Amino acid sequence: MALFRLDRRTEAGPAEVWLRLTDWARHSGSVPLTRITVRTPPPTGVGTVFVARTGIGPLAFEDPMEVVVWEPPGPRGAGRCRLEKRGRVVTGWAEIEVRPGAEGAGALLVWREDLRVWRLPRVLDPLTSRAGRYVFGRALTVLLGR
């Protein structure tokens, strides 16, 4: 699988960063050619399912995901969410971790993802990781409002 990690420091606090990143429908505006549909009623928690549909017309594919860990920021300000990718084209997982920044100012965000693309040989994992870092790095910039 192609593993990558993104780290961001923000001026917004952990609770605000958490809300921005776990508003799944908002991801539609941050990933090119992608629409997100949440298939379970709110609020988000373990068992929430949403689908990212990426592409145009017949060249599109669906990337269904399920929340399997849901630990919103608490009194100490740390939170963690894990998604399992359950599609036929893309499988793997993603983790979002939000912690208070240094000396309680802002937040530190860590996004880890490990993915496999159907029929893509493992020899291309480094390229897949680089592409993932690029696409999701841009998405984080949009979602965090920077």
Side-chain angles (χ1 to χ4, degrees), residues 48-85:
T48 294
V49 174
F50 58 96
V51 177
R53 182 167 175 80
T54 301
I56 299 173
L59 300 177
F61 66 92
E62 291 191 344
D63 179 12
M65 291 169 254
E66 181 178 352
V67 175
V68 296
V69 173
W70 182 256
E71 300 167 356
R76 293 182 311 187
R80 186 171 77 99
C81 175
R82 182 177 172 101
L83 310 169
E84 294 288 338
K85 296 175 167 285

Side-chain angles (χ1 to χ4, degrees), residues 63-66 83-87 90-94 113-116 136:
D63 179 12
M65 291 169 254
E66 181 178 352
L83 310 169
E84 294 288 338
K85 296 175 167 285
R86 309 235 189 252
V90 180
T91 58
W93 54 265
E113 189 147 349
D114 199 357
L115 55 91
R116 161 80 32 224
F136 288 100

Side-chain angles (χ1 to χ4, degrees), residues 7 21 26 28 38 46 54 72 79 117 121 127 142-143:
D7 295 271
L21 294 179
R26 256 184 105 220
S28 293
V38 180
V46 171
T54 301
V117 179
L127 178 62
V142 171
L143 291 167

Side-chain angles (χ1 to χ4, degrees), residues 92-122:
W93 54 265
E95 280 188 353
I96 301 166
E97 185 179 335
V98 179
R99 293 179 281 202
E103 300 176 20
L108 171 64
L109 160 69
V110 178
W111 181 296
R112 293 179 200 87
E113 189 147 349
D114 199 357
L115 55 91
R116 161 80 32 224
V117 179
W118 180 68
R119 297 187 70 140
L120 199 62
R122 290 188 182 272

